[in-house]
Amino acid sequence: MKPALPPKVLMLIVPWSPQSDAENLLQKVAMALAGGVNWLMLRIHDLPASVCIDIASELRRMARQTATLFSVNPYPVLAEWVEADGVHLPEHALEHPLAPSPNRLLGYSVHSEESAPRAVAAGADYLLVGTMYPTSSHPNKSPEGIPLMRAIARAVSVPLIAVGGITPERVSPCLQAGAIGVAVISGILGSPNPSLSAQAYWSRLVE
């Protein structure tokens, strides 16, 4: 049976690359979990799945301790190895959709109104919709913005999570446009106090 999505989502996307400092990153993740993050997503850059088992396993352990969802982006095999709650795939993966698992959440990133129904037809349990605002993680990408969220909310019925340049002040417009939550990277991991930053996001989600 698939895990249930929380009514309000504060997802922390945890980037992992050859340059990552595991100790520092995990300390920040622990603080973020204490501040209200209820979904961790490990996003892997330029590494094969086989060398990411340790970090994925540790994040999975931290998630279990805090009753938090844990997903892997983009490797289904790694998600299976560490018994993750979900696997997340980029929009271009819709060209060869992954067969949904009965026990694992399946999510896709979508950047257009046309892609959203395709992702739902492929078995998506939720969608990450963006880019909402300018973001340092995709500096050369023009944001699709709130109009995209509204259009996708009208087109599909699965839960939507806003991503891209989300600050606490931008949470409310995303929710009003149809999202159940937000996904954040630098707004929490780049903060001197990830716990306080997570609390700031969470307070906007539940106000």
Side-chain angles (χ1 to χ4, degrees), residues 145-202:
I146 292 297
L148 176 64
M149 179 66 74
R150 291 197 188 100
I152 290 179
R154 289 192 297 266
V156 301
S157 58
V158 299
L160 308 177
I161 301 167
V163 65
I166 310 293
T167 62
E169 294 75 22
R170 291 168 170 169
V171 169
S172 292
C174 293
L175 298 183
Q176 291 165 7
I180 68 162
V182 298
V184 182
I185 305 176
S186 58
I188 292 177
L189 292 180
S191 165
N193 191 324
S195 181
L196 286 179
S197 294
Q199 289 175 32
Y201 281 97
W202 187 251

Side-chain angles (χ1 to χ4, degrees), residues 33-188:
L33 289 169
V37 164
N38 59 5
W39 195 334
L40 295 177
M41 179 185 290
L42 173 63
R43 190 172 76 183
I44 298 165
H45 293 282
D46 302 322
L47 287 171
S50 58
V51 303
C52 301
I53 294 175
D54 288 347
I55 186 67
S57 297
E58 180 59 18
L59 290 172
R60 181 68 179 103
R61 184 193 67 79
M62 295 169 74
R64 281 179 171 159
Q65 284 187 334
T66 55
T68 299
L69 290 175
F70 173 63
S71 293
V72 169
N73 177 359
Y75 295 127
V77 65
L78 181 59
E80 185 174 349
W81 288 341
V82 300
E83 299 182 350
D85 297 305
V87 61
H88 189 85
L89 299 172
E91 186 177 68
H92 64 74
L94 288 168
E95 297 174 11
H96 303 284
L98 178 71
S101 163
N103 302 312
R104 192 165 292 121
L105 293 167
L106 174 61
Y108 283 92
S109 295
V110 295
H111 309 289
S112 70
E113 186 178 354
E114 295 74 25
S115 296
R118 290 176 58 208
V120 173
D125 297 295
Y126 70 93
L127 302 176
L128 276 189
V129 179
T131 305
M132 290 292 102
Y133 301 93
T135 172
S136 58
S137 63
H138 294 86
N140 298 319
K141 191 174 190 307
S142 297
E144 288 84 2
I146 292 297
L148 176 64
M149 179 66 74
R150 291 197 188 100
I152 290 179
R154 289 192 297 266
V156 301
S157 58
V158 299
L160 308 177
I161 301 167
V163 65
I166 310 293
T167 62
E169 294 75 22
R170 291 168 170 169
V171 169
S172 292
C174 293
L175 298 183
Q176 291 165 7
I180 68 162
V182 298
V184 182
I185 305 176
S186 58
I188 292 177

